[in-house]
Amino acid sequence: MSSTSKLVVPQAREAMDRFKMEAATEVGVNLKQGYNGDLTSKQAGSVGGQMVKKMIEAYENSAK
């Protein structure tokens, strides 16, 4: 995460990093710890899209 990104709960950074790695694995993108600026826009977008998809699914499941 960039230095301008602020998490509401700073302790959540580790959980978010694990979540990002999990989403990347699911879409077949090889993330490294730290800087991943060598990813294509398509790869980065697929990781973010997978994260959003999983968050929506979790919300919908909790609302049932």
Side-chain angles (χ1 to χ4, degrees), residues 11-31:
Q11 299 83 355
R13 181 172 308 281
E14 187 176 313
M16 287 301 293
D17 286 343
R18 282 193 312 267
F19 181 47
K20 180 172 45 175
M21 293 299 232
E22 179 184 316
T25 299
E26 290 174 2
V27 295
V29 174
N30 186 22
L31 286 185

Side-chain angles (χ1 to χ4, degrees), residues 2 4 7 11-12 14-16 18 28 30 34 43 45 47 52-53 57 60-61 64:
S2 72
T4 59
L7 292 175
Q11 299 83 355
E14 187 176 313
M16 287 301 293
R18 282 193 312 267
N30 186 22
Q43 290 171 316
V47 172
V52 170
K53 179 181 173 185
E57 286 174 358
E60 288 175 341
N61 290 334
K64 290 181 180 178

